[in-house]
Amino acid sequence: NKMYTPPSPAIGSLIQASDIGTLGAMLTGPTAFTPTLTNFSSSSPTITGHYWMMGNMCHVLVQAKLGTGTITVGNITMTLPVPAYTTGLITDSTFFSSTVGFNDVSASLEYWGLARFVDTNTVRIMRSSLSGAGTLITTSSSNPMTWATLDELSVAITYPIA
């Protein structure tokens, strides 16, 4: 048996996933995808997404920016690039490791929230209220802010897949 010898990169250089042996075989991505965001639109929104797979976990990053023209924001949902694990684990009240950021560009304010599963293919974008015990509430045209041109939505979520 030959023992695995880790690479010895120079300080400041990047280690490629393929340099890490078995771990490199488990890690795939980034893979670009464009999620469907419902109730988040303008004349020319910019929506980009990437995901990485590591074993049976999917790591997703999405950045969405409203463009000009008529802006419509309501109860936002977002499609996932890979279906989530299905055996009773994913329900409308399930949360996994997620962070949602709302950026009100014109007012220089930021808000946070979480992604909540609707089903195995979709999450609902929820905002944390600032009252009570941190209740999560749905987004709307005035929640967490009055949405305007260039306002941003950022989503980072990690979830199990089948």
Side-chain angles (χ1 to χ4, degrees):
N1 288 340
K2 185 176 178 183
M3 183 178 257
Y4 172 72
T5 304
S8 299
I11 293 175
S13 66
L14 294 175
I15 297 175
Q16 300 297 317
S18 59
D19 294 336
I20 310 175
T22 304
L23 181 61
M26 293 175 50
L27 179 65
T28 62
T31 302
F33 84 108
T34 303
T36 299
L37 292 173
T38 58
N39 299 314
F40 186 88
S41 65
S42 65
S43 297
S44 54
T46 304
I47 302 170
T48 58
H50 289 87
Y51 68 96
W52 294 257
M53 299 295 299
M54 183 153 186
N56 287 340
M57 298 299 285
C58 184
H59 309 278
V60 178
L61 295 176
V62 172
Q63 180 74 32
K65 183 182 291 189
L66 289 169
T68 59
T70 303
I71 293 173
T72 304
V73 176
N75 187 356
I76 303 170
T77 61
M78 181 184 85
T79 57
L80 299 170
V82 179
Y85 182 71
T86 59
T87 309
L89 190 60
I90 303 299
T91 66
D92 190 36
S93 60
T94 304
F95 295 89
F96 278 94
S97 178
S98 66
T99 302
V100 174
F102 305 93
N103 185 8
D104 184 342
V105 174
S106 61
S108 297
L109 294 173
E110 295 177 346
Y111 305 88
W112 67 275
L114 296 172
R116 180 178 180 174
F117 279 89
V118 173
D119 56 40
T120 58
N121 297 300
T122 311
V123 292
R124 182 172 322 285
I125 304 303
M126 307 288 288
R127 181 208 173 226
S128 177
S129 72
L130 300 177
S131 62
T135 305
L136 290 169
I137 51 179
T138 58
T139 54
S140 70
S141 61
S142 60
N143 183 33
M145 64 231 181
T146 300
W147 293 84
T149 300
L150 301 180
D151 284 347
E152 299 171 324
L153 169 67
S154 301
V155 179
I157 183 170
T158 299
Y159 62 95
I161 62 166

PDB file of all heavy atoms in Angstrom, residues 95 102 112-114 116 126-139 143-144:
ATOM      1  N   PHE A  95     -35.686  23.821   6.879  1.00  0.00           N
ATOM      2  CA  PHE A  95     -34.595  24.740   6.578  1.00  0.00           C
ATOM      3  C   PHE A  95     -33.305  23.945   6.580  1.00  0.00           C
ATOM      4  O   PHE A  95     -33.125  23.063   7.398  1.00  0.00           O
ATOM      5  CB  PHE A  95     -34.479  25.828   7.647  1.00  0.00           C
ATOM      6  CG  PHE A  95     -35.659  26.731   7.701  1.00  0.00           C
ATOM      7  CD1 PHE A  95     -36.735  26.434   8.497  1.00  0.00           C
ATOM      8  CD2 PHE A  95     -35.687  27.888   6.947  1.00  0.00           C
ATOM      9  CE1 PHE A  95     -37.834  27.275   8.553  1.00  0.00           C
ATOM     10  CE2 PHE A  95     -36.768  28.737   6.995  1.00  0.00           C
ATOM     11  CZ  PHE A  95     -37.847  28.424   7.795  1.00  0.00           C
ATOM     12  N   PHE A 102     -30.528  40.719   1.424  1.00  0.00           N
ATOM     13  CA  PHE A 102     -31.292  41.688   0.642  1.00  0.00           C
ATOM     14  C   PHE A 102     -30.523  43.002   0.715  1.00  0.00           C
ATOM     15  O   PHE A 102     -30.219  43.469   1.811  1.00  0.00           O
ATOM     16  CB  PHE A 102     -32.687  41.897   1.236  1.00  0.00           C
ATOM     17  CG  PHE A 102     -33.483  40.636   1.402  1.00  0.00           C
ATOM     18  CD1 PHE A 102     -33.469  39.938   2.599  1.00  0.00           C
ATOM     19  CD2 PHE A 102     -34.265  40.157   0.362  1.00  0.00           C
ATOM     20  CE1 PHE A 102     -34.216  38.783   2.768  1.00  0.00           C
ATOM     21  CE2 PHE A 102     -35.019  39.002   0.520  1.00  0.00           C
ATOM     22  CZ  PHE A 102     -34.990  38.314   1.719  1.00  0.00           C
ATOM     23  N   TRP A 112     -31.442  40.400   6.187  1.00  0.00           N
ATOM     24  CA  TRP A 112     -31.090  39.000   6.025  1.00  0.00           C
ATOM     25  C   TRP A 112     -32.318  38.118   6.176  1.00  0.00           C
ATOM     26  O   TRP A 112     -33.359  38.537   6.669  1.00  0.00           O
ATOM     27  CB  TRP A 112     -30.002  38.589   7.010  1.00  0.00           C
ATOM     28  CG  TRP A 112     -30.446  38.599   8.443  1.00  0.00           C
ATOM     29  CD1 TRP A 112     -30.469  39.648   9.297  1.00  0.00           C
ATOM     30  CD2 TRP A 112     -30.977  37.494   9.172  1.00  0.00           C
ATOM     31  NE1 TRP A 112     -30.968  39.277  10.514  1.00  0.00           N
ATOM     32  CE2 TRP A 112     -31.289  37.950  10.467  1.00  0.00           C
ATOM     33  CE3 TRP A 112     -31.215  36.160   8.860  1.00  0.00           C
ATOM     34  CZ2 TRP A 112     -31.815  37.115  11.446  1.00  0.00           C
ATOM     35  CZ3 TRP A 112     -31.750  35.328   9.836  1.00  0.00           C
ATOM     36  CH2 TRP A 112     -32.037  35.807  11.121  1.00  0.00           C
ATOM     37  N   GLY A 113     -32.155  36.894   5.749  1.00  0.00           N
ATOM     38  CA  GLY A 113     -33.227  35.922   5.861  1.00  0.00           C
ATOM     39  C   GLY A 113     -32.710  34.518   5.622  1.00  0.00           C
ATOM     40  O   GLY A 113     -31.502  34.277   5.660  1.00  0.00           O
ATOM     41  N   LEU A 114     -33.638  33.602   5.344  1.00  0.00           N
ATOM     42  CA  LEU A 114     -33.317  32.198   5.100  1.00  0.00           C
ATOM     43  C   LEU A 114     -34.107  31.681   3.901  1.00  0.00           C
ATOM     44  O   LEU A 114     -35.096  32.286   3.501  1.00  0.00           O
ATOM     45  CB  LEU A 114     -33.674  31.345   6.320  1.00  0.00           C
ATOM     46  CG  LEU A 114     -32.909  31.617   7.607  1.00  0.00           C
ATOM     47  CD1 LEU A 114     -33.528  30.835   8.755  1.00  0.00           C
ATOM     48  CD2 LEU A 114     -31.448  31.265   7.453  1.00  0.00           C
ATOM     49  N   ARG A 116     -36.430  28.591   2.685  1.00  0.00           N
ATOM     50  CA  ARG A 116     -37.290  27.558   3.261  1.00  0.00           C
ATOM     51  C   ARG A 116     -37.812  26.685   2.127  1.00  0.00           C
ATOM     52  O   ARG A 116     -38.311  27.199   1.124  1.00  0.00           O
ATOM     53  CB  ARG A 116     -38.444  28.226   3.986  1.00  0.00           C
ATOM     54  CG  ARG A 116     -39.414  27.305   4.634  1.00  0.00           C
ATOM     55  CD  ARG A 116     -40.467  28.125   5.341  1.00  0.00           C
ATOM     56  NE  ARG A 116     -41.432  27.282   5.995  1.00  0.00           N
ATOM     57  CZ  ARG A 116     -42.387  27.728   6.762  1.00  0.00           C
ATOM     58  NH1 ARG A 116     -42.498  29.020   6.987  1.00  0.00           N
ATOM     59  NH2 ARG A 116     -43.230  26.901   7.316  1.00  0.00           N
ATOM     60  N   MET A 126     -37.314  33.898   2.514  1.00  0.00           N
ATOM     61  CA  MET A 126     -37.967  34.462   3.692  1.00  0.00           C
ATOM     62  C   MET A 126     -37.058  35.512   4.321  1.00  0.00           C
ATOM     63  O   MET A 126     -35.845  35.373   4.323  1.00  0.00           O
ATOM     64  CB  MET A 126     -38.233  33.358   4.724  1.00  0.00           C
ATOM     65  CG  MET A 126     -38.979  32.147   4.195  1.00  0.00           C
ATOM     66  SD  MET A 126     -40.704  32.453   3.865  1.00  0.00           S
ATOM     67  CE  MET A 126     -41.346  32.563   5.520  1.00  0.00           C
ATOM     68  N   ARG A 127     -37.685  36.542   4.869  1.00  0.00           N
ATOM     69  CA  ARG A 127     -36.958  37.594   5.554  1.00  0.00           C
ATOM     70  C   ARG A 127     -37.179  37.483   7.052  1.00  0.00           C
ATOM     71  O   ARG A 127     -38.278  37.182   7.500  1.00  0.00           O
ATOM     72  CB  ARG A 127     -37.435  38.958   5.084  1.00  0.00           C
ATOM     73  CG  ARG A 127     -36.673  40.061   5.775  1.00  0.00           C
ATOM     74  CD  ARG A 127     -37.506  41.304   5.873  1.00  0.00           C
ATOM     75  NE  ARG A 127     -36.789  42.264   6.678  1.00  0.00           N
ATOM     76  CZ  ARG A 127     -37.351  42.941   7.638  1.00  0.00           C
ATOM     77  NH1 ARG A 127     -38.614  42.788   7.909  1.00  0.00           N
ATOM     78  NH2 ARG A 127     -36.653  43.797   8.329  1.00  0.00           N
ATOM     79  N   SER A 128     -36.151  37.724   7.821  1.00  0.00           N
ATOM     80  CA  SER A 128     -36.284  37.702   9.268  1.00  0.00           C
ATOM     81  C   SER A 128     -36.880  39.027   9.727  1.00  0.00           C
ATOM     82  O   SER A 128     -36.426  40.087   9.334  1.00  0.00           O
ATOM     83  CB  SER A 128     -34.916  37.502   9.918  1.00  0.00           C
ATOM     84  OG  SER A 128     -35.048  37.547  11.316  1.00  0.00           O
ATOM     85  N   SER A 129     -37.912  38.939  10.560  1.00  0.00           N
ATOM     86  CA  SER A 129     -38.486  40.169  11.111  1.00  0.00           C
ATOM     87  C   SER A 129     -37.602  40.649  12.246  1.00  0.00           C
ATOM     88  O   SER A 129     -36.841  39.883  12.823  1.00  0.00           O
ATOM     89  CB  SER A 129     -39.908  39.926  11.622  1.00  0.00           C
ATOM     90  OG  SER A 129     -39.863  39.156  12.798  1.00  0.00           O
ATOM     91  N   LEU A 130     -37.711  41.897  12.553  1.00  0.00           N
ATOM     92  CA  LEU A 130     -36.890  42.455  13.621  1.00  0.00           C
ATOM     93  C   LEU A 130     -37.623  42.509  14.942  1.00  0.00           C
ATOM     94  O   LEU A 130     -37.134  43.068  15.907  1.00  0.00           O
ATOM     95  CB  LEU A 130     -36.424  43.864  13.218  1.00  0.00           C
ATOM     96  CG  LEU A 130     -35.595  43.901  11.935  1.00  0.00           C
ATOM     97  CD1 LEU A 130     -35.248  45.336  11.582  1.00  0.00           C
ATOM     98  CD2 LEU A 130     -34.339  43.072  12.077  1.00  0.00           C
ATOM     99  N   SER A 131     -38.824  41.927  14.976  1.00  0.00           N
ATOM    100  CA  SER A 131     -39.599  41.960  16.209  1.00  0.00           C
ATOM    101  C   SER A 131     -39.784  40.551  16.751  1.00  0.00           C
ATOM    102  O   SER A 131     -39.610  39.577  16.041  1.00  0.00           O
ATOM    103  CB  SER A 131     -40.966  42.596  15.951  1.00  0.00           C
ATOM    104  OG  SER A 131     -41.686  41.825  15.015  1.00  0.00           O
ATOM    105  N   GLY A 132     -40.160  40.465  17.984  1.00  0.00           N
ATOM    106  CA  GLY A 132     -40.461  39.168  18.588  1.00  0.00           C
ATOM    107  C   GLY A 132     -39.253  38.255  18.611  1.00  0.00           C
ATOM    108  O   GLY A 132     -38.138  38.670  18.872  1.00  0.00           O
ATOM    109  N   ALA A 133     -39.489  36.998  18.293  1.00  0.00           N
ATOM    110  CA  ALA A 133     -38.440  35.984  18.376  1.00  0.00           C
ATOM    111  C   ALA A 133     -37.747  35.762  17.040  1.00  0.00           C
ATOM    112  O   ALA A 133     -37.246  34.688  16.766  1.00  0.00           O
ATOM    113  CB  ALA A 133     -39.049  34.682  18.873  1.00  0.00           C
ATOM    114  N   GLY A 134     -37.728  36.768  16.179  1.00  0.00           N
ATOM    115  CA  GLY A 134     -37.066  36.608  14.889  1.00  0.00           C
ATOM    116  C   GLY A 134     -37.901  35.816  13.909  1.00  0.00           C
ATOM    117  O   GLY A 134     -37.390  34.978  13.184  1.00  0.00           O
ATOM    118  N   THR A 135     -39.194  36.051  13.896  1.00  0.00           N
ATOM    119  CA  THR A 135     -40.108  35.349  13.004  1.00  0.00           C
ATOM    120  C   THR A 135     -39.707  35.556  11.552  1.00  0.00           C
ATOM    121  O   THR A 135     -39.269  36.633  11.166  1.00  0.00           O
ATOM    122  CB  THR A 135     -41.543  35.899  13.206  1.00  0.00           C
ATOM    123  OG1 THR A 135     -41.862  35.797  14.578  1.00  0.00           O
ATOM    124  CG2 THR A 135     -42.535  35.123  12.382  1.00  0.00           C
ATOM    125  N   LEU A 136     -39.870  34.521  10.730  1.00  0.00           N
ATOM    126  CA  LEU A 136     -39.612  34.653   9.304  1.00  0.00           C
ATOM    127  C   LEU A 136     -40.896  35.020   8.592  1.00  0.00           C
ATOM    128  O   LEU A 136     -41.958  34.445   8.858  1.00  0.00           O
ATOM    129  CB  LEU A 136     -39.045  33.352   8.744  1.00  0.00           C
ATOM    130  CG  LEU A 136     -37.636  33.049   9.218  1.00  0.00           C
ATOM    131  CD1 LEU A 136     -37.243  31.642   8.845  1.00  0.00           C
ATOM    132  CD2 LEU A 136     -36.645  34.040   8.652  1.00  0.00           C
ATOM    133  N   ILE A 137     -40.808  35.983   7.686  1.00  0.00           N
ATOM    134  CA  ILE A 137     -41.976  36.434   6.936  1.00  0.00           C
ATOM    135  C   ILE A 137     -41.650  36.445   5.448  1.00  0.00           C
ATOM    136  O   ILE A 137     -40.490  36.536   5.055  1.00  0.00           O
ATOM    137  CB  ILE A 137     -42.447  37.827   7.417  1.00  0.00           C
ATOM    138  CG1 ILE A 137     -41.283  38.824   7.447  1.00  0.00           C
ATOM    139  CG2 ILE A 137     -43.081  37.750   8.785  1.00  0.00           C
ATOM    140  CD1 ILE A 137     -41.648  40.213   7.889  1.00  0.00           C
ATOM    141  N   THR A 138     -42.673  36.335   4.620  1.00  0.00           N
ATOM    142  CA  THR A 138     -42.457  36.306   3.178  1.00  0.00           C
ATOM    143  C   THR A 138     -42.108  37.689   2.654  1.00  0.00           C
ATOM    144  O   THR A 138     -42.421  38.707   3.264  1.00  0.00           O
ATOM    145  CB  THR A 138     -43.706  35.785   2.438  1.00  0.00           C
ATOM    146  OG1 THR A 138     -44.817  36.610   2.761  1.00  0.00           O
ATOM    147  CG2 THR A 138     -44.010  34.352   2.809  1.00  0.00           C
ATOM    148  N   THR A 139     -41.446  37.702   1.510  1.00  0.00           N
ATOM    149  CA  THR A 139     -41.080  38.956   0.873  1.00  0.00           C
ATOM    150  C   THR A 139     -42.290  39.549   0.159  1.00  0.00           C
ATOM    151  O   THR A 139     -43.240  38.852  -0.164  1.00  0.00           O
ATOM    152  CB  THR A 139     -39.952  38.728  -0.148  1.00  0.00           C
ATOM    153  OG1 THR A 139     -40.361  37.705  -1.050  1.00  0.00           O
ATOM    154  CG2 THR A 139     -38.670  38.325   0.542  1.00  0.00           C
ATOM    155  N   ASN A 143     -41.321  44.608   1.459  1.00  0.00           N
ATOM    156  CA  ASN A 143     -40.676  43.833   2.506  1.00  0.00           C
ATOM    157  C   ASN A 143     -39.525  43.017   1.922  1.00  0.00           C
ATOM    158  O   ASN A 143     -39.753  42.259   0.999  1.00  0.00           O
ATOM    159  CB  ASN A 143     -41.691  42.904   3.167  1.00  0.00           C
ATOM    160  CG  ASN A 143     -41.064  42.137   4.309  1.00  0.00           C
ATOM    161  OD1 ASN A 143     -40.189  42.629   4.983  1.00  0.00           O
ATOM    162  ND2 ASN A 143     -41.505  40.909   4.482  1.00  0.00           N
ATOM    163  N   PRO A 144     -38.307  43.154   2.347  1.00  0.00           N
ATOM    164  CA  PRO A 144     -37.891  43.897   3.516  1.00  0.00           C
ATOM    165  C   PRO A 144     -37.679  45.388   3.263  1.00  0.00           C
ATOM    166  O   PRO A 144     -37.316  46.136   4.174  1.00  0.00           O
ATOM    167  CB  PRO A 144     -36.554  43.244   3.879  1.00  0.00           C
ATOM    168  CG  PRO A 144     -36.011  42.796   2.578  1.00  0.00           C
ATOM    169  CD  PRO A 144     -37.210  42.393   1.765  1.00  0.00           C
TER     170      PRO A 144
END
